[in-house]
Amino acid sequence: GNGELVYDGDDPHLRSLLVARDGSLLIGTAGQGLVVRRSPDGGLRTVYDSSLSEVVAIAEAPGGTLFAAVLASEASLVELAAARPAPEPAPAGEAAGEASASVTVTPEGEAEPAASGSRPPGARGPRSELVAISALGLVEPVWSSQEETVFALAWMGRRLFISTGGEGRLYSVEGAQREGAESAPVPPLTVTIDHDFDQRQAVGLAAGSSKAAAGLPVVLTTNAAALYRLAERSMASGTYTSPALDSGQLARYGVFRWSGESPDGTKVSLRFRTGSSATPDDSWSAWSAATTAVAAGRGWEIAIPAIGNGRYLQWQAELSGDAGRSPRLTLAEASYRQINQRPRIDRFGALDPGQILVPANFNPADQVYEPASPNRDGIFTTLEPSTAGGDLRTKQLWKSGQRTLRWRATDPNGDELRYTLAVRGEDGAADWLPVADDLTDDHYGFDATVLPDGRYRFRLVVTDREGNGDGEALTAQQESEPVIVDHSPPARGRAEHHDGAWSIDVTDRFNPLREAMISIDAGEWRPLLAADGLVDGQHERLLLGEIPATARLVLLRLADAALNYETFDLSSEVKR
């Protein structure tokens, strides 16, 4: 009746215990994922240090082979973050029993501590792993899973049983060493799905109490709760149901192939169903009629029945045997083709006048920089590198007279896309005229001086023909907002003198004014004010202010939104 501290480790949690046949105590930790052996005389030795975080269960086979189930799982029951430091002693002078509070502040940009039982963001590798540790201390992987979480291990009879969550399965491992082979390494092992429960988690294992169940576990499940007692007698048949297999998009399914063993007198019957929800429910198709696959090469194959298209496919295999013979299914695959979906244009428009996109390694010295128009390919010319390949990134530059169209398009099926551009006047009187075809980039820059002043609309057509056969390719198209092509600079009226100050009217044909500057006697440019307070309209009255009578050179410089510049000499008009 006396308690005794037998182990005090560095990990924040002790997750599993097993009393070995030799009387030692095996301890599984959570945090560092250690298996520690405490000998009867109190000595401690680490027999396994896992790359995962939590040793959830330990079992021992005759002969001394240990099995450890290790997790790095969202389904873990304990906090796997770093251990919290021990509280510091109270400062001198603080009254005994007086409460103190502390606040932990996480600086902006730093990650919060991991949630309980969670792997850190971006973690890779298996969720569950089973390893065998021989009596010599050799560690060998036995089984791992990205989807399932191990909850319990138990050695019974001549097999190791593993209960998992996610799919609610019971696995068995055969071939482990037996008594009298303490010094041998772990022999080859075979892992088999023993039972596939309707419940989602098989969380507990215990030895059966009846003679009929000797060597078989009692299995406890949750979601929903149930208790199963397994029998030793051979079953005439068994059924395996696959998880829902995701094709990524709505798909049609072709051939199902499987490999394994099917001795004479045994049979594997297959059924299929499809749906669009990740979890099979009433919206899924009904199970197809059971069909037997025919031999094909080293395996068997069957055409998946016409059960309708769906994003998810699930298959079910009924294995039946006779006279002690049993089929074995070891590998399965299904072919499918996604139903082609139309590409999507997320964005399409023109950059500001003069803005161009060029490769990040653009160098005018060795690339075709000055376009010439018209040319033999048509009136539209573009800035292209003189050599193909190289850096695919782009940078933005400015060049007068250039326009650039840019877009973003995606394809639900991941098909390679091709782009076509066309143009016509905004009034729509003319037909669409070709600009460029079979483009692969997400932008196209061209010399806009080939177009007369006016408002134009551009049309982008996207096709996925590269990834689809004749009759299956789909296209999407979108028109741009009106794009103004303006090569005409701003114009001016006569300068007028009122109440001791000068003013002048200025206009632009297509665009609002962007800039108005004045320089006197070659001095620095200074901005002018408009009568309405802002230089932002197509018609403005600019306030020139007082101009000295001795001024010899008075210059007015105007620019519109299309970056057309014009400079006017007002010297003769403002001299008195």
Side-chain angles (χ1 to χ4, degrees):
N2 295 325
E4 177 188 358
L5 178 66
V6 298
Y7 176 76
D8 186 6
D10 295 330
D11 266 359
H13 306 284
L14 305 184
R15 188 66 177 88
S16 51
L17 292 174
L18 176 71
V19 178
R21 289 178 171 82
D22 63 2
S24 62
L25 179 66
L26 295 162
I27 306 164
T29 77
Q32 299 182 61
L34 304 177
V35 177
V36 179
R37 184 190 293 272
R38 182 185 185 275
S39 62
D41 62 6
L44 297 172
R45 181 168 62 91
T46 298
V47 297
Y48 179 53
D49 184 354
S50 173
S51 60
L52 305 185
S53 302
E54 180 179 1
V55 180
V56 69
I58 309 172
E60 184 183 22
T65 298
L66 298 177
F67 293 91
V70 195
L71 300 184
S73 168
E74 290 82 353
S76 169
L77 301 179
V78 301
E79 173 60 65
L80 298 182
R84 296 181 178 87
E88 297 181 1
E94 187 173 301
E98 186 176 301
S100 61
S102 63
V103 176
T104 301
V105 178
T106 301
E108 185 176 354
E110 291 189 12
E112 294 286 346
S116 178
S118 294
R119 286 184 281 182
R124 298 182 179 179
R127 173 179 292 185
S128 297
E129 187 174 64
L130 178 69
V131 299
I133 308 169
S134 74
L136 297 175
L138 300 176
V139 179
E140 297 184 19
V142 176
W143 172 90
S144 66
S145 175
Q146 290 276 12
E147 294 81 24
E148 298 181 71
T149 299
V150 175
F151 282 107
L153 298 177
W155 182 273
M156 297 179 192
R158 295 175 294 177
R159 290 184 287 176
L160 174 73
F161 290 93
I162 312 166
S163 66
T164 72
E167 297 296 334
R169 288 173 179 163
L170 179 69
Y171 292 85
S172 62
V173 180
E174 298 181 84
Q177 67 185 72
R178 301 178 182 178
E179 295 183 62
E182 288 85 350
S183 61
V186 178
L189 303 174
T190 301
V191 181
T192 305
I193 297 178
D194 201 272
H195 283 76
D196 193 354
F197 301 102
D198 292 335
Q199 290 76 18
R200 302 295 291 176
Q201 279 89 25
V203 297
L205 298 172
S209 58
S210 65
K211 291 183 179 180
L216 291 174
V218 173
V219 183
L220 177 68
T221 69
T222 61
N223 283 345
L227 188 66
Y228 288 89
R229 183 175 61 211
L230 306 183
E232 182 65 51
R233 65 181 183 274
S234 299
M235 305 299 291
S237 64
T239 300
Y240 168 80
T241 302
S242 76
L245 307 177
D246 187 3
S247 66
Q249 295 288 342
L250 189 70
R252 56 176 177 270
Y253 297 89
V255 172
F256 180 85
R257 301 177 182 87
W258 67 272
S259 58
E261 303 170 6
S262 184
D264 292 341
T266 67
K267 185 173 67 172
V268 176
S269 298
L270 297 161
R271 301 194 302 165
F272 304 88
R273 63 177 177 176
T274 61
S276 295
S277 58
T279 301
D281 54 23
D282 293 340
S283 68
W284 278 50
S285 68
W287 284 106
S288 66
T291 309
T292 302
V294 297
R298 295 186 178 182
W300 289 261
E301 71 176 33
I302 181 177
I304 298 175
I307 49 178
N309 301 326
R311 172 171 175 171
Y312 298 91
L313 174 72
Q314 190 174 40
W315 57 273
Q316 191 176 76
E318 182 179 0
L319 289 75
S320 55
D322 181 43
R325 292 172 295 184
S326 174
R328 180 185 294 269
L329 193 155
T330 59
L331 179 68
E333 64 179 12
S335 65
Y336 68 90
R337 180 175 176 82
Q338 291 181 348
I339 305 298
N340 192 32
Q341 298 188 50
R342 195 175 304 280
R344 299 168 185 168
I345 301 174
D346 304 316
R347 182 182 62 199
F348 175 48
L351 301 184
D352 289 340
Q355 289 185 347
I356 59 175
L357 297 174
V358 296
N361 59 351
F362 181 80
N363 181 3
D366 60 11
Q367 299 197 40
V368 178
Y369 186 70
E370 291 294 342
S373 61
N375 66 12
R376 63 183 181 181
D377 297 322
I379 64 173
F380 293 100
T381 58
T382 185
L383 301 180
E384 296 179 351
S386 57
T387 56
D391 198 335
L392 298 180
R393 297 172 299 170
T394 59
K395 62 183 178 182
Q396 193 173 95
L397 298 179
W398 183 89
K399 181 169 176 57
S400 178
Q402 296 289 310
R403 295 306 300 261
T404 299
L405 301 170
R406 194 172 195 180
W407 55 87
R408 182 174 62 199
T410 56
D411 188 87
N413 307 105
D415 293 333
E416 183 180 352
L417 298 177
R418 292 287 192 271
Y419 309 100
T420 299
L421 289 169
V423 64
R424 72 177 179 185
E426 187 190 17
D427 57 10
D431 294 332
W432 288 102
L433 301 174
V435 174
D437 191 14
D438 203 32
L439 300 174
T440 57
D441 291 331
D442 63 353
H443 62 277
Y444 183 79
F446 62 95
D447 178 14
T449 62
V450 299
L451 294 174
D453 290 358
R455 289 179 172 84
Y456 296 87
R457 287 188 183 268
F458 291 86
R459 182 182 67 184
L460 175 69
V461 179
V462 185
T463 178
D464 60 4
R465 64 175 182 268
E466 296 297 317
N468 295 278
D470 294 340
E472 293 188 344
L474 295 174
T475 62
Q477 67 179 39
Q478 183 175 320
E479 292 184 23
S480 70
E481 295 296 322
V483 176
I484 297 175
V485 174
D486 179 11
H487 310 301
S488 303
R492 48 151 287 195
R494 288 188 58 81
E496 298 179 355
H497 189 264
H498 295 284
D499 300 326
W502 290 89
S503 64
I504 189 170
D505 290 329
V506 295
T507 61
D508 192 87
R509 184 179 177 190
F510 287 102
N511 278 291
L513 294 168
R514 173 173 175 169
E515 185 179 272
M517 311 284 283
I518 191 171
S519 171
I520 298 176
D521 290 339
E524 65 177 336
W525 292 104
R526 58 181 178 84
L528 293 175
L529 293 177
D532 61 4
L534 291 175
V535 180
D536 60 352
Q538 286 182 250
H539 305 274
E540 294 285 357
R541 173 171 287 254
L542 301 179
L543 304 180
L544 306 181
E546 281 291 337
I547 298 177
T550 58
R552 294 165 294 168
L553 180 65
V554 179
L555 298 179
L556 172 67
R557 191 175 193 227
L558 303 176
D560 62 15
L563 302 179
N564 295 305
Y565 287 85
E566 187 76 9
T567 301
F568 303 95
D569 185 356
L570 305 182
S571 305
S572 60
E573 295 181 47
V574 298
K575 287 183 178 180
R576 294 174 297 198

